[in-house]
Every structure is written in C-alpha cells, then in structure tokens.
Amino acid sequence: MGCRRVIERPNWNVDVVGPIIKTDLNLNHLLNSNILSTDADNAYHLFYKQDLYKLKVDSLFSLPDTPNVKYFNIPIGPLTFAPSQVLESDTENTVFGLKGVKLVDLEFKSGFFEIEITNQIEEVLLFEYELLGASKNGAPFKINMTIPAASSGNLGSVTQQFDLSEYALDLRGNNLNSFNVSAAVFKITVDPNGDAVSISKLDTVAIKTKFIEAIPEFAKGYFQNQNVVLNKQYSEIDAFNLFKSGQLNVLNPAIKLYVENEIGMDLRASDLLISGINSANNNSVDLNTTFNTINISRAYHYPSQRPAFKSSYVEVDVNIDNSNLSEVLSSMPDQLSYELNLEINPLGNISGNNDFIYYNTGLKLGFEIDIPLQLVVTDLVIEDTVDYKFAEEKFYNAINSGNLNLLLKNHFPFDLTTALLIFDENMEFVDSLTTDLTIAPPYQPGADWTLVPIEIKPETIDNLTNGSKML
C-alpha cells in the first residue's frame, strides 16, 4: 500500500505587457470645433458656424383650393335652340384670397386646374375655355370639353383635371390692372351633330373651376408690409460639450451674425433675443447688445439667368465692445434660444409690384463664433469615454494579481487631476481605478511618459471583465 502526493496547480510570476485602452484629450476634444486653425501669429482660433433659422416661402403664402362656380340660365322660356347655337359666351374672374399678398405674375411648379360641369339640358353641349394670360412655352391654356346631356331626370356631368406644371399665369385680371385675379373666357354651344332642344328658364348649366394643390415655382407682386413673429426656438450647439463643470473665461471672443436673403423683398429684423443655456447647471445668460435692428436688403433678380436671383448678405459683428459675449460663452452653453420679429417691406411698395420669390428659397439666419484660444480655466471637469475589451474568460481566469500601468503625458499648461472609472455597456458605474492622480505641466518635447502603476486585485480583474467602457 502506498501514498500518492497531490500536486497543486502550478503557478508562476510573469510580466505581460498588453494595451487595454489608448486615448487622448486635446484641443479638438476640449472644444468640439468645426474648424480649428491658426492666424498669422500661429495662435489657435476656434471657428464654429451654425445656421439657426430659415424662413421658407410657403410660410408667406399658399394658393387656396377654393372653387369658383358660375351658373347659366336663360331669363325667359322655354326657348328652342338649334344645333351649333351659342347658349352662353362670357368672361369670368377668379379672385385668389391671398392675405397680405398682391400677386401679378405666377409660375407653377406643380398642381392641377379642375373643371366640373353639370348639365340639366337634355342635349349634348360643347364647352370651350381659355385661361387668359396663361401659357407654357408660348402655347395658351385652352380646353375643349363635351358635356353629356341630361336624361330621365339625371344630370349630365363631366369633370377633368389639367396639369399646371411649368405654366405661367398673369394675375392682373382681364383689364390688366388688378392683382390676385385670373381671367378666363368660355363659350357653351349646342352640339352641331345634335338636335334642336327646348330649354326652360329652370334648366341650368353649372361650371365649377378650382386650382388643386398648386405650388408656385415663382411669384411676383407686392408682399405687403407685415410682421412675422418667430417665437422662441432652441438649437443644440456642441462647441463646449466636453466641459462638464467649472469656470471658463473666454478672452476677446467675437460672433458674426449672418443673414442670407434669397427673396426679393426688403426685411427688417428686430427684438432679437439670443440666450446661451447650460443644461447641466440650468443656467441661462442673455446676449445683451448695443443694436436692436438689422436691415436686410432684397435679393437681386436676373430673370434671364439661371439661377434667376442672387442672394443679399448682411453680417453683424458682436464682440466684447458691443455686448456681454464673454459672459455668454463663459457659461459653456450647450443650447441657444432665440426669438425675433421680422418685418416685411418696412418701407412699403418701393419695388412697384416687383417683389419676388422662388420655390424652396427663403431667409437664413446663423452665426459664426471666433474664439482666440487664450482661456482662463478654473476647476474645469473634462471627460471622454472609450470602449474596451479586457480579455477572454480563459485568459483572465488565469490572472491572480498584478499591476495595470497607466502612461500619461500632460501637454496642457495647467495641472490635471485624472480619474479612470469603469462602466458597463449601460453606463452603470462598476469600479474606479484611480480618482485623484495629479499630473503637473508642462510636458517637454522628448520627455518620457509618466508611468503610474495601479495594483490589480482579484476583484479588480472581475470588474474590468464586467465593464466595457472607461471614462
């Protein structure tokens, strides 16, 4: 009988170097800029440009689908009408109910013109219709329709739609001295191939016309003096999105408010109120300036060219001499709120009914921030999150303890206190590797990395495994 010695699982110490994460926080992280460049003195500037608001043409006017109805009756009767005899020939005017707009010319991008006719006369009728002042490639807008006869008490009826795309329409009316009026001539005739027909004064022909979903490509006239109020709007900005807390003093910043006017009318912006909002601390700072109005010239019209207009531009400089801009930007806003009043044609009809608009044009309002990167910072908290994968299970089960080496370089001209925190995939906190490690400036070119060993315990290995993000 003998004894067998139980041998424990062998283990030994090894040095293994393997990266878990690598990241950096630099100027582009601190200020998430669209453009970071240098000036003539090689000083860094942050340029951040963003559109705030666009006034679209369809907010100024739209063409209604309201029908225009005309009735034909003979005043006395019954009377007999022979084949080819004209029952009615007349001119009609359709008035567009456009509030605040007096149009004289219109070009259609899309839409339809619909004619619906009902007939109580017991004979087929012919209908001719011309929309005066309407043309497409030089051809007039003319329609010929056949109206079925009434029979056994049932009305004769017909409905047709006609495509308006690319048609131009004169809206000065039949005498060319009005506005918002389309003129048309029509004629109703007894069918030449039909029979003579007896018509009483109760027999009626009803003609209903209307524009359906008409979208203008171009419109010209007078957009009367009126106000468009832009109620408070909000816009996200990400220029300071990695600054979580602390104080930031911005030195000598400038903002250029810019307006691009694509429409052919003069505008005046007033009561402009812009506020910077820091949603992290619920702090809001109003931008106070020495100016209250911005006059905006109309776009230039070149009908024979493409594009047929040229935008006008206005730029307004906002700086520390005419505003509290430093205070607004030092609050590190992640939102801007803005509101204004926009007056259309403040000087009246100075164009002589030559205001104009084109489809999908409007007014754009935006800003461009210029910040020389000369900052005074106090107790700023900067953070970034990096995904990582520690090790597969068969490998990390073999790790009992050790050191996790943290290699650091500080290029900033101020002290940094570093924290390295572990979170899971849902950003739930798991563990902290270090919370109060201070790195002094400055980093000198050619200097070695600062190596900070962090002791790894079994529970730390488990937490590294359970985590997937480091902050």
Side-chain angles (χ1 to χ4, degrees):
M1 180 176 182
C3 295
R4 182 180 179 185
R5 183 182 177 186
V6 178
I7 300 176
E8 296 180 356
R9 181 181 178 183
N11 62 87
W12 54 89
N13 296 327
V14 297
D15 289 329
V16 176
V17 178
I20 297 177
I21 64 168
K22 180 181 180 181
T23 188
D24 59 75
L25 287 171
N26 53 40
L27 285 176
N28 286 296
H29 287 83
L30 288 176
L31 300 167
N32 189 12
S33 60
N34 298 92
I35 302 174
L36 191 63
S37 62
T38 57
D39 59 19
D41 298 323
N42 291 321
Y44 277 101
H45 285 245
L46 166 73
F47 290 94
Y48 183 87
K49 185 175 181 178
Q50 182 168 322
D51 291 335
L52 287 179
Y53 170 68
K54 184 166 185 178
L55 173 72
K56 301 293 289 184
V57 164
D58 56 10
S59 63
L60 297 179
F61 84 99
S62 59
L63 295 176
D65 291 352
T66 306
N68 182 56
V69 183
K70 189 174 184 65
Y71 299 96
F72 161 72
N73 299 87
I74 60 174
I76 58 175
L79 295 176
T80 300
F81 286 81
S84 300
Q85 188 170 351
V86 176
L87 301 183
E88 176 76 339
S89 180
D90 201 359
T91 299
E92 68 163 359
N93 289 311
T94 299
V95 180
F96 291 100
L98 299 175
K99 184 178 179 180
V101 182
K102 296 181 177 180
L103 297 183
V104 295
D105 283 307
L106 191 67
E107 294 178 10
F108 292 98
K109 177 179 179 62
S110 61
F112 296 90
F113 183 73
E114 181 180 273
I115 299 180
E116 179 184 345
I117 306 175
T118 57
N119 178 22
Q120 292 181 323
I121 299 172
E122 294 183 341
E123 183 55 74
V124 174
L125 305 176
L126 302 184
F127 179 73
E128 299 176 31
Y129 186 92
E130 180 178 358
L131 195 58
L132 299 177
S135 63
K136 179 177 179 179
N137 298 324
F141 186 94
K142 290 185 176 181
I143 296 169
N144 292 285
M145 298 170 61
T146 299
I147 310 171
S151 176
S152 303
N154 296 319
L155 297 176
S157 66
V158 61
T159 301
Q160 290 187 27
Q161 288 186 352
F162 305 89
D163 190 356
L164 291 173
S165 300
E166 300 181 10
Y167 269 97
L169 178 62
D170 191 319
L171 291 177
R172 293 176 294 172
N174 188 41
N175 296 320
L176 303 180
N177 60 357
S178 189
F179 52 85
N180 297 343
V181 177
S182 67
V185 293
F186 70 93
K187 182 168 67 174
I188 304 173
T189 306
V190 178
D191 184 7
N193 299 316
D195 299 321
V197 60
S198 177
I199 302 175
S200 75
K201 61 181 180 179
L202 298 179
D203 292 332
T204 301
V205 177
I207 306 167
K208 181 169 68 174
T209 59
K210 66 177 178 178
F211 293 86
I212 299 177
E213 298 179 353
I215 298 177
E217 176 67 32
F218 166 77
K220 186 178 77 171
Y222 172 44
F223 290 76
Q224 295 170 274
N225 177 247
Q226 55 188 294
N227 289 314
V228 178
V229 178
L230 174 65
N231 295 319
K232 183 173 288 189
Q233 305 284 318
Y234 295 88
S235 179
E236 302 288 335
I237 61 173
D238 60 357
F240 307 97
N241 65 340
L242 287 181
F243 286 159
K244 302 303 178 182
S245 62
Q247 296 180 0
L248 172 68
N249 296 326
V250 181
L251 306 179
N252 299 319
I255 280 184
K256 186 173 290 183
L257 291 174
Y258 59 84
V259 182
E260 180 183 356
N261 185 12
E262 301 172 322
I263 57 182
M265 59 195 76
D266 297 318
L267 305 168
R268 177 180 294 157
S270 61
D271 301 324
L272 175 62
L273 177 59
I274 298 176
S275 300
I277 303 171
N278 187 317
S279 58
N281 56 27
N282 201 28
N283 183 39
S284 177
V285 181
D286 294 340
L287 177 65
N288 300 318
T289 64
T290 58
F291 59 88
N292 188 48
T293 61
I294 303 174
N295 293 313
I296 308 161
S297 299
R298 66 185 58 230
Y300 306 95
H301 199 200
Y302 305 104
S304 61
Q305 300 180 15
R306 289 296 178 267
F309 67 92
K310 181 181 178 181
S311 300
S312 69
Y313 293 88
V314 177
E315 294 181 346
V316 180
D317 291 322
V318 182
N319 50 53
I320 60 176
D321 295 325
N322 61 12
S323 74
N324 63 332
L325 181 59
S326 288
E327 182 184 358
V328 175
L329 295 180
S330 294
S331 69
M332 298 179 292
D334 59 352
Q335 281 187 324
L336 287 181
S337 68
Y338 51 95
E339 52 189 290
L340 60 86
N341 180 72
L342 193 65
E343 185 179 4
I344 297 175
N345 281 326
L347 302 179
N349 188 15
I350 61 174
S351 73
N353 296 330
N354 282 298
D355 297 345
F356 67 88
I357 55 175
Y358 281 89
Y359 175 75
N360 202 33
T361 61
L363 177 95
K364 289 194 292 187
L365 171 67
F367 68 92
E368 183 181 274
I369 299 177
D370 179 8
I371 304 177
L373 291 183
Q374 302 171 13
L375 311 175
V376 179
V377 298
T378 305
D379 296 330
L380 279 181
V381 176
I382 309 162
E383 66 180 40
D384 196 11
T385 304
V386 180
D387 294 329
Y388 77 92
K389 183 176 181 181
F390 181 54
E392 296 181 7
E393 182 177 0
K394 63 181 179 179
F395 295 119
Y396 72 70
N397 281 339
I399 303 174
N400 296 317
S401 62
N403 287 333
L404 180 65
N405 293 329
L406 183 61
L407 296 172
L408 300 169
K409 286 183 182 179
N410 181 11
H411 292 256
F412 292 106
F414 42 76
D415 290 345
L416 293 176
T417 300
T418 303
L420 196 59
L421 309 179
I422 302 173
F423 290 82
D424 64 16
E425 60 182 10
N426 298 317
M427 284 305 292
E428 296 290 337
F429 176 74
V430 176
D431 195 3
S432 60
L433 296 178
T434 179
T435 57
D436 56 359
L437 177 63
T438 299
I439 313 169
Y443 164 76
Q444 298 296 330
D448 292 333
W449 290 75
T450 299
L451 189 149
V452 180
I454 301 173
E455 183 181 0
I456 299 298
K457 300 177 181 180
E459 57 269 24
T460 307
I461 296 171
D462 291 337
N463 290 333
L464 279 168
T465 304
N466 293 330
S468 61
K469 299 176 183 294
M470 280 197 190
L471 184 144

